Amino acid sequence: MIRDLYNVRTRPAEDAPEPLTTEEEARFRALLFTELGSRIADEGWARYPAYTREDRRRLVDVAHRLTAHWGRQVGVEAEDECRLRLFLVGDEVPGTSSPDGPGTP
């Protein structure tokens, strides 16, 4: 006998992260805006891990929001496949891109 199953969803693999709800996503972006914004304001740059495309999208969105908030452009660059660096455009030292940040030999 065949039974119809209604409202059945496939479950993600046990090791796969659950997607964030709309409210959780908004709170996480607000937290990144505050924390990374404070660090960039203090040091001129901040580094944050970005393991997935969604992580990278969040950080780019935070950079755009900080640009709109401050009226100064916040740039984003990949340091490697797992990390992005956000920085104030114009404050970076030319020719330096060391793991310890701008201006470090």
Side-chain angles (χ1 to χ4, degrees):
M1 173 165 77
I2 297 174
R3 295 183 184 201
D4 292 328
L5 300 175
Y6 298 101
N7 297 324
V8 174
R9 297 181 299 172
T10 59
R11 296 192 62 166
E14 291 299 319
D15 59 346
E18 292 282 328
L20 298 178
T21 65
T22 304
E23 180 186 342
E24 291 171 333
E25 183 71 31
R27 288 190 339 221
F28 186 48
R29 287 180 189 236
L31 175 71
L32 287 174
F33 179 84
T34 303
E35 294 297 319
L36 294 176
S38 295
R39 182 115 187 227
I40 294 169
D42 291 342
E43 300 179 23
W45 64 279
R47 165 185 305 127
Y48 201 79
Y51 300 109
T52 65
R53 281 190 194 132
E54 188 56 39
D55 291 339
R56 290 186 281 279
R57 285 185 191 118
R58 277 186 200 110
L59 292 174
V60 169
D61 179 59
V62 167
H64 290 300
R65 288 179 56 202
L66 287 169
T67 296
H69 181 70
W70 287 335
R72 289 193 61 194
Q73 184 165 356
V74 176
V76 180
E77 71 179 13
E79 288 191 327
D80 56 32
E81 61 270 353
C82 298
R83 250 185 333 200
L84 291 180
R85 187 171 74 93
L86 284 71
F87 58 94
L88 289 172
V89 173
D91 286 354
E92 67 274 5
V93 177
T96 60
S97 183
S98 71
D100 295 325
T104 305

XYZ file of all heavy atoms in Angstrom:
842
model
N 0.838 -1.168 0.000
C 0.000 0.000 0.000
C 0.896 1.250 0.000
O 1.874 1.323 0.731
C -0.891 -0.035 1.243
C -1.674 1.227 1.424
S -3.027 1.096 2.573
C -2.232 1.161 4.125
N 0.571 2.241 -0.796
C 1.322 3.486 -0.900
C 0.618 4.542 -0.057
O -0.601 4.717 -0.149
C 1.414 3.954 -2.359
C 2.179 2.910 -3.176
C 2.081 5.308 -2.444
C 2.204 3.209 -4.648
N 1.396 5.247 0.737
C 0.830 6.319 1.560
C 1.365 7.654 1.069
O 2.529 7.781 0.723
C 1.226 6.146 3.012
C 0.655 4.904 3.600
C 1.011 4.828 5.034
N 0.519 3.569 5.569
C 0.314 3.358 6.822
N 0.568 4.301 7.696
N -0.127 2.205 7.237
N 0.503 8.634 1.039
C 0.926 9.989 0.690
C 1.465 10.667 1.949
O 0.848 10.598 3.007
C -0.242 10.803 0.143
C -0.712 10.284 -1.202
O 0.146 9.779 -1.947
O -1.911 10.394 -1.486
N 2.598 11.279 1.794
C 3.201 11.972 2.926
C 3.111 13.467 2.681
O 3.609 13.974 1.685
C 4.665 11.552 3.087
C 4.887 10.062 3.331
C 6.378 9.764 3.345
C 4.241 9.628 4.634
N 2.482 14.170 3.585
C 2.333 15.609 3.483
C 3.225 16.283 4.517
O 3.451 15.757 5.601
C 0.878 16.032 3.717
C -0.060 15.448 2.691
C -0.843 14.350 2.985
C -0.127 16.001 1.414
C -1.690 13.805 2.036
C -0.970 15.466 0.462
C -1.745 14.368 0.777
O -2.570 13.835 -0.168
N 3.715 17.461 4.176
C 4.562 18.248 5.067
C 5.806 17.482 5.516
O 6.221 17.567 6.667
C 3.778 18.731 6.299
C 2.659 19.647 5.912
O 2.792 20.438 4.988
N 1.534 19.545 6.604
N 6.393 16.749 4.615
C 7.606 16.007 4.915
C 8.768 16.743 4.269
O 8.720 17.108 3.097
C 7.525 14.558 4.373
C 8.845 13.838 4.571
C 6.390 13.822 5.040
N 9.795 16.974 5.069
C 10.993 17.645 4.563
C 12.182 16.719 4.735
O 12.246 15.960 5.691
C 11.263 18.927 5.345
C 10.184 19.963 5.221
C 10.540 21.195 6.004
N 10.682 20.827 7.425
C 11.137 21.640 8.355
N 11.510 22.848 8.043
N 11.233 21.254 9.597
N 13.120 16.817 3.817
C 14.348 16.059 3.997
C 15.189 16.752 5.050
O 15.216 17.985 5.144
C 15.130 15.948 2.681
O 15.426 17.266 2.225
C 14.341 15.203 1.632
N 15.861 15.993 5.824
C 16.716 16.542 6.875
C 18.135 16.657 6.352
O 18.601 15.781 5.618
C 16.689 15.633 8.092
C 15.291 15.582 8.702
C 15.342 14.946 10.009
N 16.206 15.778 10.847
C 16.272 15.671 12.136
N 15.552 14.797 12.751
N 17.075 16.437 12.834
N 18.824 17.725 6.714
C 20.215 17.854 6.278
C 21.076 16.797 6.977
O 20.686 16.256 8.008
C 20.598 19.266 6.716
C 19.643 19.607 7.804
C 18.380 18.844 7.530
N 22.210 16.544 6.396
C 23.148 15.619 7.021
C 23.507 16.118 8.408
O 23.471 17.321 8.682
C 24.394 15.487 6.149
N 23.855 15.218 9.278
C 24.127 15.576 10.678
C 25.234 16.624 10.818
O 25.187 17.463 11.694
C 24.494 14.324 11.472
C 23.337 13.375 11.654
C 22.172 13.994 12.413
O 22.410 14.715 13.383
O 21.028 13.743 12.018
N 26.232 16.581 9.965
C 27.338 17.521 10.092
C 27.108 18.825 9.330
O 27.900 19.740 9.422
C 28.652 16.884 9.642
C 28.600 16.415 8.201
O 27.500 16.341 7.625
O 29.676 16.113 7.655
N 26.030 18.918 8.587
C 25.738 20.146 7.839
C 25.070 21.166 8.757
O 24.205 20.816 9.552
C 24.828 19.848 6.657
N 25.481 22.422 8.675
C 24.873 23.440 9.546
C 23.447 23.757 9.102
O 23.122 23.710 7.919
C 25.781 24.654 9.363
C 26.398 24.461 8.025
C 26.512 22.978 7.816
N 22.622 24.060 10.070
C 21.250 24.473 9.784
C 21.275 25.907 9.259
O 22.028 26.740 9.766
C 20.413 24.446 11.069
C 20.176 23.059 11.614
C 19.093 22.330 10.858
O 18.154 22.989 10.370
O 19.207 21.108 10.745
N 20.471 26.225 8.249
C 20.419 27.620 7.788
C 19.802 28.506 8.874
O 18.962 28.055 9.661
C 19.530 27.554 6.552
C 18.813 26.264 6.632
C 19.622 25.342 7.492
N 20.252 29.738 8.915
C 19.736 30.679 9.908
C 18.344 31.154 9.523
O 18.036 31.313 8.341
C 20.668 31.886 10.017
C 22.100 31.603 10.489
C 22.899 32.895 10.485
C 22.113 30.976 11.858
N 17.534 31.415 10.536
C 16.232 32.011 10.272
C 16.447 33.469 9.896
O 17.540 34.015 10.068
C 15.321 31.927 11.506
O 15.889 32.716 12.547
C 15.136 30.480 11.967
N 15.424 34.119 9.418
C 15.526 35.526 9.030
C 15.926 36.383 10.222
O 16.777 37.270 10.102
C 14.184 36.008 8.458
O 13.822 35.148 7.375
C 14.285 37.426 7.951
N 15.345 36.106 11.377
C 15.679 36.877 12.585
C 17.115 36.630 13.026
O 17.845 37.569 13.369
C 14.730 36.509 13.718
C 15.016 37.257 15.004
C 14.155 36.785 16.165
O 13.114 36.143 15.932
O 14.546 37.056 17.308
N 17.558 35.369 13.007
C 18.931 35.043 13.379
C 19.928 35.690 12.421
O 20.970 36.193 12.844
C 19.132 33.529 13.380
C 18.407 32.814 14.483
C 18.443 31.308 14.319
O 18.557 30.820 13.175
O 18.348 30.622 15.348
N 19.607 35.675 11.131
C 20.481 36.288 10.127
C 20.621 37.784 10.383
O 21.721 38.342 10.346
C 19.936 36.029 8.723
C 20.799 36.562 7.608
C 22.084 35.791 7.422
O 22.127 34.583 7.676
O 23.078 36.425 7.011
N 19.513 38.458 10.667
C 19.544 39.902 10.933
C 20.352 40.205 12.193
O 21.149 41.158 12.211
C 18.120 40.438 11.074
N 20.188 39.403 13.238
C 20.947 39.621 14.479
C 22.435 39.376 14.266
O 23.276 40.117 14.792
C 20.415 38.727 15.595
C 19.079 39.177 16.106
C 18.624 38.475 17.370
N 19.275 37.216 17.616
C 18.656 36.139 18.067
N 17.377 36.164 18.321
N 19.327 35.025 18.299
N 22.779 38.343 13.484
C 24.182 38.046 13.225
C 24.839 39.154 12.414
O 25.958 39.582 12.710
C 24.311 36.701 12.512
C 25.731 36.237 12.339
C 26.627 36.258 13.391
C 26.176 35.777 11.125
C 27.935 35.839 13.235
C 27.474 35.345 10.947
C 28.360 35.377 12.012
N 24.142 39.664 11.389
C 24.693 40.772 10.598
C 24.851 42.034 11.442
O 25.818 42.765 11.280
C 23.826 41.032 9.375
C 23.983 39.960 8.317
C 23.138 40.211 7.105
N 23.157 39.059 6.217
C 23.505 39.102 4.956
N 23.840 40.230 4.398
N 23.501 38.012 4.227
N 23.909 42.279 12.352
C 24.023 43.438 13.242
C 25.224 43.281 14.175
O 25.958 44.243 14.432
C 22.741 43.615 14.046
N 25.455 42.066 14.658
C 26.611 41.806 15.514
C 27.909 42.016 14.744
O 28.845 42.660 15.244
C 26.547 40.382 16.057
C 27.746 39.938 16.878
C 27.750 40.661 18.217
C 27.732 38.443 17.064
N 27.976 41.489 13.515
C 29.176 41.703 12.690
C 29.396 43.183 12.419
O 30.531 43.666 12.464
C 29.050 40.947 11.365
C 29.190 39.436 11.412
C 28.888 38.836 10.045
C 30.575 39.034 11.874
N 28.321 43.909 12.137
C 28.402 45.351 11.885
C 29.030 46.058 13.087
O 29.943 46.866 12.943
C 27.001 45.896 11.601
C 26.947 47.370 11.353
C 27.216 47.884 10.093
C 26.609 48.252 12.366
C 27.159 49.249 9.860
C 26.550 49.612 12.139
C 26.826 50.114 10.884
N 28.565 45.724 14.287
C 29.062 46.370 15.501
C 30.500 45.979 15.813
O 31.361 46.839 16.023
C 28.154 46.012 16.699
O 26.824 46.400 16.391
C 28.615 46.696 17.964
N 30.756 44.667 15.848
C 32.080 44.187 16.246
C 33.160 44.533 15.220
O 34.216 45.048 15.573
C 32.044 42.667 16.481
C 31.184 42.258 17.644
C 31.688 42.796 18.972
O 32.915 42.793 19.200
O 30.850 43.209 19.779
N 32.895 44.229 13.953
C 33.892 44.541 12.927
C 34.026 46.043 12.733
O 35.123 46.549 12.494
C 33.541 43.849 11.611
C 33.615 42.317 11.633
C 33.163 41.747 10.304
C 35.002 41.839 11.990
N 32.921 46.772 12.837
C 32.973 48.231 12.727
C 33.847 48.847 13.807
O 34.648 49.747 13.546
N 33.724 48.354 15.040
C 34.561 48.857 16.138
C 36.029 48.560 15.884
O 36.894 49.412 16.089
C 34.138 48.222 17.464
O 32.850 48.611 17.804
N 36.301 47.351 15.417
C 37.699 46.979 15.164
C 38.299 47.795 14.022
O 39.444 48.247 14.093
C 37.754 45.491 14.826
C 39.124 44.971 14.603
C 39.464 43.977 15.667
N 40.835 43.595 15.570
C 41.248 42.352 15.616
N 40.383 41.391 15.756
N 42.523 42.092 15.551
N 37.517 47.986 12.954
C 38.001 48.778 11.823
C 38.201 50.226 12.245
O 39.176 50.870 11.850
C 37.037 48.668 10.627
C 37.033 47.240 10.090
C 37.418 49.639 9.520
C 35.925 46.964 9.100
N 37.297 50.752 13.053
C 37.429 52.131 13.521
C 38.689 52.295 14.369
O 39.372 53.319 14.291
C 36.195 52.537 14.321
N 39.025 51.289 15.178
C 40.201 51.366 16.044
C 41.506 51.128 15.292
O 42.481 51.850 15.478
C 40.106 50.341 17.182
C 39.018 50.669 18.180
O 38.554 51.834 18.205
O 38.612 49.759 18.927
N 41.527 50.109 14.443
C 42.777 49.684 13.818
C 42.878 49.974 12.329
O 43.948 49.841 11.749
C 42.978 48.182 14.040
C 43.053 47.818 15.512
C 43.217 46.330 15.729
O 43.690 45.644 14.803
O 42.883 45.862 16.815
N 41.750 50.297 11.684
C 41.762 50.547 10.251
C 41.508 49.308 9.420
O 41.359 49.398 8.211
N 41.440 48.127 10.061
C 41.194 46.880 9.351
C 40.707 45.826 10.334
O 40.864 45.962 11.542
C 42.444 46.381 8.643
C 43.550 46.035 9.593
C 44.429 46.902 10.181
C 43.868 44.743 10.105
N 45.272 46.231 11.022
C 44.949 44.897 10.993
C 43.357 43.477 9.904
C 45.522 43.819 11.671
C 43.930 42.416 10.580
C 44.999 42.590 11.437
N 40.106 44.778 9.799
C 39.681 43.632 10.601
C 39.687 42.401 9.711
O 39.446 42.493 8.512
C 38.288 43.850 11.180
N 39.959 41.272 10.311
C 39.992 40.001 9.598
C 38.912 39.113 10.201
O 38.698 39.129 11.404
C 41.370 39.395 9.797
C 41.526 37.976 9.453
C 42.917 37.449 9.804
N 43.961 38.233 9.191
C 44.980 38.778 9.866
N 45.062 38.644 11.159
N 45.899 39.462 9.235
N 38.237 38.324 9.338
C 37.179 37.447 9.836
C 37.122 36.197 8.964
O 37.289 36.276 7.754
C 35.826 38.171 9.799
C 34.814 37.558 10.731
C 34.835 37.821 12.090
C 33.848 36.698 10.244
C 33.916 37.257 12.943
C 32.915 36.119 11.099
C 32.968 36.405 12.444
O 32.051 35.831 13.288
N 36.891 35.024 9.582
C 36.813 33.805 8.776
C 35.573 33.774 7.895
O 34.519 34.275 8.276
C 36.763 32.681 9.822
C 36.346 33.318 11.085
C 36.750 34.758 11.003
N 35.728 33.209 6.722
C 34.616 33.074 5.775
C 34.771 31.740 5.067
O 35.446 31.638 4.057
C 34.627 34.227 4.781
N 34.133 30.719 5.611
C 34.293 29.365 5.096
C 33.328 29.035 3.962
O 33.602 28.162 3.156
C 34.122 28.342 6.220
C 35.126 28.529 7.321
C 34.747 29.021 8.553
C 36.468 28.225 7.118
C 35.674 29.200 9.567
C 37.404 28.411 8.122
C 36.995 28.890 9.345
O 37.914 29.078 10.334
N 32.199 29.726 3.920
C 31.187 29.422 2.906
C 30.874 30.664 2.083
O 31.252 31.778 2.448
C 29.886 28.930 3.566
O 29.321 29.995 4.340
C 30.128 27.715 4.448
N 30.151 30.463 0.993
C 29.726 31.612 0.185
C 28.853 32.547 1.001
O 28.939 33.753 0.870
C 28.935 31.132 -1.029
C 29.771 30.623 -2.118
C 28.921 30.397 -3.361
N 29.679 29.603 -4.291
C 29.229 28.544 -4.912
N 27.998 28.155 -4.724
N 29.998 27.878 -5.726
N 27.987 31.973 1.831
C 27.100 32.801 2.648
C 27.898 33.654 3.639
O 27.576 34.813 3.858
C 26.077 31.937 3.386
C 25.011 32.742 4.094
C 24.256 33.695 3.173
O 23.966 33.336 2.020
O 23.963 34.826 3.616
N 28.959 33.097 4.210
C 29.831 33.885 5.096
C 30.437 35.060 4.336
O 30.490 36.183 4.843
C 30.966 33.021 5.658
C 30.490 31.970 6.642
O 29.386 32.129 7.209
O 31.238 30.991 6.842
N 30.899 34.809 3.119
C 31.498 35.884 2.319
C 30.459 36.932 1.946
O 30.732 38.130 1.993
C 32.163 35.293 1.078
C 33.414 34.485 1.423
C 34.155 34.011 0.194
N 33.560 32.846 -0.421
C 33.734 31.596 -0.015
N 34.490 31.345 1.031
N 33.163 30.600 -0.652
N 29.252 36.488 1.613
C 28.183 37.449 1.303
C 27.867 38.328 2.502
O 27.647 39.530 2.361
C 26.919 36.712 0.869
C 26.987 36.161 -0.514
C 25.652 35.552 -0.929
N 25.804 34.803 -2.134
C 25.592 33.498 -2.245
N 25.176 32.796 -1.220
N 25.777 32.896 -3.395
N 27.820 37.732 3.687
C 27.551 38.508 4.903
C 28.606 39.584 5.106
O 28.289 40.727 5.421
C 27.563 37.599 6.136
C 26.305 36.881 6.391
C 26.367 36.131 7.711
N 25.368 35.111 7.699
C 25.618 33.806 7.635
N 26.855 33.369 7.614
N 24.637 32.952 7.609
N 29.868 39.208 4.949
C 30.945 40.171 5.187
C 30.943 41.283 4.145
O 31.189 42.450 4.486
C 32.293 39.452 5.214
C 32.481 38.525 6.421
C 33.772 37.739 6.283
C 32.451 39.303 7.720
N 30.656 40.952 2.906
C 30.560 41.990 1.871
C 29.392 42.919 2.186
O 29.508 44.142 2.062
C 30.439 41.359 0.465
C 30.074 42.396 -0.571
C 31.739 40.654 0.096
N 28.272 42.361 2.634
C 27.121 43.178 3.015
C 27.468 44.089 4.192
O 27.102 45.273 4.195
C 25.934 42.292 3.380
C 24.732 43.105 3.812
O 24.258 43.933 3.000
O 24.270 42.933 4.958
N 28.191 43.565 5.166
C 28.603 44.388 6.313
C 29.518 45.517 5.841
O 29.390 46.655 6.298
C 29.291 43.517 7.394
C 30.005 44.361 8.425
C 28.264 42.617 8.065
N 30.425 45.233 4.912
C 31.306 46.279 4.384
C 30.492 47.371 3.688
O 30.763 48.566 3.868
C 32.321 45.680 3.414
N 29.467 46.982 2.932
C 28.609 47.976 2.268
C 27.833 48.801 3.299
O 27.690 50.023 3.145
C 27.634 47.306 1.299
C 28.288 46.745 0.084
N 28.996 47.515 -0.814
C 28.345 45.487 -0.397
C 29.451 46.754 -1.784
N 29.080 45.508 -1.551
N 27.342 48.145 4.334
C 26.605 48.869 5.379
C 27.522 49.837 6.135
O 27.116 50.952 6.472
C 25.955 47.884 6.347
C 24.782 47.148 5.735
C 24.154 46.147 6.671
N 23.742 46.778 7.920
C 23.555 46.112 9.052
N 23.734 44.816 9.096
N 23.173 46.753 10.136
N 28.759 49.414 6.418
C 29.707 50.303 7.088
C 30.059 51.487 6.188
O 30.193 52.618 6.667
C 30.975 49.535 7.485
C 30.824 48.569 8.658
C 32.055 47.686 8.772
C 30.570 49.324 9.952
N 30.210 51.238 4.889
C 30.481 52.322 3.948
C 29.362 53.343 3.985
O 29.612 54.560 4.055
C 30.644 51.762 2.521
O 31.790 50.901 2.497
C 30.814 52.855 1.500
N 28.124 52.881 3.955
C 26.974 53.797 3.997
C 26.898 54.521 5.332
O 26.571 55.714 5.387
C 25.686 53.022 3.745
N 27.229 53.843 6.415
C 27.144 54.435 7.756
C 28.212 55.502 7.976
O 27.932 56.560 8.533
C 27.270 53.327 8.801
C 27.169 53.783 10.212
N 25.990 54.230 10.762
C 28.102 53.878 11.188
C 26.199 54.572 12.023
N 27.473 54.369 12.304
N 29.445 55.220 7.573
C 30.553 56.136 7.810
C 30.753 57.155 6.702
O 31.405 58.178 6.922
C 31.863 55.358 7.966
C 31.981 54.615 9.257
C 31.350 54.901 10.429
C 32.781 53.468 9.503
N 31.713 53.995 11.380
C 32.597 53.110 10.849
C 33.633 52.718 8.727
C 33.238 52.019 11.424
C 34.270 51.638 9.302
C 34.077 51.293 10.633
N 30.299 56.877 5.511
C 30.578 57.762 4.389
C 31.989 57.599 3.860
O 32.461 58.413 3.078
N 32.671 56.559 4.294
C 34.011 56.193 3.807
C 33.949 54.766 3.310
O 33.312 53.923 3.935
C 35.049 56.252 4.935
C 35.360 57.662 5.355
C 36.576 57.731 6.216
N 37.749 57.237 5.494
C 38.888 56.939 6.094
N 39.011 57.065 7.389
N 39.901 56.501 5.390
N 34.632 54.508 2.215
C 34.559 53.172 1.636
C 35.326 52.160 2.464
O 36.474 52.377 2.842
C 35.094 53.169 0.212
C 34.934 51.806 -0.417
C 35.109 51.832 -1.897
O 35.277 52.876 -2.487
N 35.061 50.672 -2.505
N 34.660 51.043 2.726
C 35.276 49.907 3.399
C 35.505 48.842 2.338
O 34.570 48.385 1.687
C 34.374 49.363 4.530
C 34.981 48.118 5.162
C 34.136 50.436 5.578
N 36.757 48.484 2.130
C 37.101 47.490 1.125
C 37.119 46.091 1.714
O 37.241 45.902 2.922
N 36.994 45.107 0.837
C 37.029 43.698 1.235
C 38.001 42.987 0.322
O 37.948 43.154 -0.899
C 35.631 43.051 1.098
C 35.679 41.586 1.509
C 34.601 43.793 1.900
N 38.914 42.199 0.908
C 39.811 41.399 0.099
C 39.991 40.034 0.749
O 39.949 39.908 1.976
C 41.165 42.074 -0.110
C 42.040 42.135 1.107
C 43.385 42.790 0.845
O 43.554 43.418 -0.211
O 44.253 42.680 1.712
N 40.173 39.029 -0.089
C 40.409 37.681 0.407
C 41.880 37.533 0.759
O 42.751 37.832 -0.052
C 40.017 36.662 -0.651
N 42.143 37.113 1.983
C 43.529 36.835 2.377
C 43.921 35.421 1.961
O 45.049 35.173 1.583
C 43.695 36.996 3.886
C 43.660 38.422 4.320
C 44.084 38.586 5.757
O 43.847 37.716 6.587
O 44.679 39.642 6.022
N 42.998 34.503 2.079
C 43.156 33.138 1.600
C 41.761 32.572 1.381
O 40.792 33.327 1.395
C 44.000 32.286 2.562
C 43.448 32.268 3.980
O 42.209 32.345 4.151
O 44.235 32.160 4.930
N 41.638 31.265 1.176
C 40.322 30.712 0.864
C 39.382 30.677 2.062
O 38.193 30.398 1.901
C 40.436 29.313 0.251
C 41.094 28.287 1.127
C 42.602 28.218 0.938
O 43.152 28.869 0.050
O 43.234 27.498 1.722
N 39.877 30.976 3.246
C 39.042 30.898 4.452
C 38.933 32.210 5.219
O 38.335 32.233 6.295
C 39.604 29.845 5.397
S 39.604 28.197 4.720
N 39.513 33.298 4.732
C 39.517 34.545 5.485
C 39.356 35.749 4.584
O 39.930 35.795 3.498
C 40.870 34.702 6.181
C 40.823 34.547 7.617
C 42.124 34.822 8.288
N 43.312 34.597 7.485
C 44.505 34.424 7.990
N 44.690 34.463 9.268
N 45.538 34.241 7.212
N 38.588 36.720 5.060
C 38.463 38.003 4.377
C 38.978 39.096 5.294
O 38.897 38.999 6.520
C 37.009 38.300 4.019
C 36.369 37.430 2.947
C 34.921 37.854 2.722
C 37.124 37.500 1.647
N 39.497 40.135 4.681
C 39.963 41.302 5.435
C 39.142 42.493 4.997
O 38.996 42.764 3.808
C 41.445 41.562 5.158
C 42.032 42.643 6.031
C 43.543 42.705 5.882
N 43.945 43.303 4.627
C 44.218 44.592 4.474
N 44.127 45.422 5.474
N 44.575 45.046 3.300
N 38.580 43.205 5.966
C 37.844 44.438 5.712
C 38.740 45.588 6.155
O 39.388 45.501 7.205
C 36.539 44.466 6.505
C 35.390 43.604 5.976
C 35.657 42.128 6.179
C 34.105 43.995 6.640
N 38.794 46.657 5.367
C 39.702 47.757 5.676
C 39.138 49.063 5.133
O 38.315 49.072 4.219
C 41.095 47.502 5.082
C 41.074 47.307 3.585
C 41.303 48.376 2.735
C 40.800 46.064 3.038
C 41.273 48.213 1.357
C 40.765 45.880 1.662
C 41.005 46.963 0.821
N 39.592 50.149 5.701
C 39.228 51.469 5.202
C 40.084 51.768 3.979
O 41.311 51.744 4.059
C 39.454 52.533 6.268
C 38.486 52.495 7.444
C 38.939 53.467 8.532
C 37.084 52.818 6.998
N 39.444 52.016 2.853
C 40.166 52.306 1.620
C 40.888 53.633 1.787
O 40.313 54.614 2.243
C 39.196 52.341 0.416
C 39.904 52.798 -0.841
C 38.568 50.980 0.217
N 42.169 53.645 1.448
C 42.975 54.850 1.573
C 43.860 54.825 2.797
O 44.821 55.569 2.879
N 43.551 53.962 3.776
C 44.368 53.868 4.983
C 45.392 52.751 4.919
O 46.269 52.664 5.766
C 43.497 53.646 6.224
C 42.755 54.899 6.645
O 43.013 55.964 6.044
O 41.929 54.820 7.562
N 45.273 51.854 3.908
C 46.207 50.735 3.832
C 47.549 51.223 3.311
O 47.637 52.190 2.561
C 45.666 49.605 2.954
C 45.546 49.929 1.488
C 44.240 50.605 1.121
O 43.434 50.925 1.983
O 44.050 50.840 -0.081
N 48.603 50.555 3.729
C 49.948 50.884 3.291
C 50.205 50.140 1.994
O 50.028 48.927 1.939
C 50.983 50.468 4.366
C 52.392 50.744 3.882
C 50.696 51.180 5.665
N 50.583 50.849 0.907
C 50.789 50.179 -0.374
C 51.885 49.118 -0.295
O 52.895 49.304 0.363
C 51.211 51.295 -1.320
C 51.017 52.571 -0.598
C 50.856 52.261 0.851
N 51.642 47.999 -0.972
C 52.658 46.953 -1.064
C 52.727 46.030 0.109
O 53.599 45.194 0.161
N 51.826 46.178 1.097
C 51.871 45.275 2.233
C 50.562 44.533 2.349
O 49.502 45.116 2.279
C 52.117 46.031 3.561
O 51.057 46.959 3.746
C 53.445 46.717 3.581
N 50.671 43.259 2.471
C 49.507 42.415 2.710
C 49.956 41.241 3.540
O 49.905 40.102 3.124
C 48.884 41.950 1.389
O 47.735 41.193 1.667
N 50.483 41.531 4.717
C 50.994 40.471 5.571
C 49.876 39.939 6.465
O 48.876 40.589 6.678
C 52.137 41.011 6.429
O 51.633 41.885 7.401
N 50.038 38.720 7.005
C 49.009 38.149 7.869
C 48.762 38.952 9.128
O 47.711 38.856 9.720
C 49.561 36.772 8.217
C 50.636 36.495 7.252
C 51.129 37.808 6.752
N 49.750 39.754 9.553
C 49.582 40.539 10.765
C 48.901 41.881 10.514
O 48.698 42.642 11.447
C 50.938 40.789 11.446
C 51.534 39.479 11.924
O 50.755 38.587 12.343
O 52.758 39.326 11.861
N 48.571 42.162 9.278
C 47.831 43.388 8.971
C 48.669 44.385 8.218
O 49.842 44.172 7.942
N 48.052 45.519 7.883
C 48.746 46.527 7.101
C 49.893 47.148 7.887
O 49.799 47.357 9.079
C 47.652 47.547 6.795
C 46.585 47.298 7.785
C 46.702 45.874 8.231
N 50.977 47.391 7.174
C 52.100 48.090 7.773
C 53.044 47.175 8.535
O 54.035 47.632 9.067
N 52.750 45.878 8.623
C 53.623 44.962 9.338
C 54.577 44.324 8.350
O 54.157 43.812 7.330
C 52.787 43.853 10.020
O 51.814 44.486 10.843
C 53.651 42.937 10.843
N 55.875 44.350 8.625
C 56.834 43.775 7.685
C 56.739 42.267 7.617
O 56.318 41.603 8.443
C 58.190 44.202 8.219
C 57.965 44.743 9.574
C 56.503 44.963 9.744
